Structures are given as structure tokens and as C-alpha cells.
Amino acid sequence: MRYLRVLPFFAVLAVILFAGLKPEPLPEAVEQQDKLHHLLGFAALAATSRLGFPRTHFIWLLTICLGTGLLIELGQGLLPNRTPSAGDVIANTLGVMLGWIGSLWLQSWLRARRYGCAG
């Protein structure tokens, strides 16, 4: 049943790779909307990496998540209608940190509820 834990990670990774490397960027309703997409997508990637690979050292998981964001931006530089952006890399990094901190907080909260600790 381990695959049920890793399935969300690979689903999020597939969506991020598809959106990040498709020939045309996703349409935006407002300017800089893509930064929100980056932030939320990479927050989900970091959180699901902790769920899917609980015994993997956190440095490896963070490296994979951050490296994915960087490689996508480099890959966009090879596509004719896409441009890499330092702002996107920053949004990816902030998303990874947000997802990581959020998953730590959720884990702590669930543990406290399970064992009846105050807090």
C-alpha cells in the first residue's frame, strides 16, 4: 500500500511538469497570477513529498523540490514561447518552504490530537 502514499506526490509532480513545460503558458486572469500558481504548486509538492517519503532525509526532499523548480525554469528557456523567470524561482522556493512548514505544523497538530496533548 506504499504506492497510495507516493501517488499524491507523483500526481502533483506531473501537473507541475505539464504546466511548467507545455509550449504555451497558462492563461492569466490577472497580472502575475502565475506566481500564485508557482507558490501553491510547489507548496503541494513539498507537502506531498513528506507524505510519500517519510523516511527520506529532509535535505534530499527539499533538494528534489527546489531542483524541480529550477530545472523547469531552465527548461522554459529552451521553449520558443516560454521565458525563464527569477521571480518564478523565488515563488517556487517560497512555495516549497510554505509547504514544508505547513506539513510540519499539520503533523505536530495531528500528533497532539492523537495523544491528547494540550496545544
Side-chain angles (χ1 to χ4, degrees):
M1 291 291 202
R2 176 177 157 80
Y3 70 92
L4 290 177
R5 279 198 331 236
V6 300
L7 188 61
F9 171 79
F10 285 112
V12 170
L13 181 62
V15 169
I16 287 173
L17 289 173
F18 173 77
L21 295 173
K22 64 185 271 190
E24 296 291 328
L26 295 173
E28 293 183 7
V30 295
E31 191 174 333
Q32 300 299 318
Q33 179 181 336
D34 69 312
K35 302 303 182 269
L36 179 63
H37 296 165
H38 286 267
L39 184 78
L40 296 177
F42 279 88
L45 186 69
T48 57
S49 74
R50 291 200 67 236
L51 170 69
F53 306 99
R55 294 179 185 232
T56 303
H57 196 278
F58 79 96
I59 292 294
W60 287 111
L61 295 176
L62 287 176
T63 301
I64 289 168
C65 292
L66 293 171
T68 299
L70 184 60
L71 289 174
I72 287 173
E73 291 305 313
L74 293 174
Q76 286 180 356
L78 303 173
L79 298 171
N81 296 324
R82 302 294 297 262
T83 12
S85 162
D88 289 350
V89 173
I90 292 169
N92 296 345
T93 303
L94 291 174
V96 168
M97 295 304 142
L98 178 69
W100 197 266
I101 291 167
S103 67
L104 288 173
W105 176 81
L106 180 62
Q107 182 182 28
S108 173
W109 182 76
L110 290 172
R111 188 176 295 130
R113 285 197 51 160
R114 177 183 295 159
Y115 297 112
C117 300

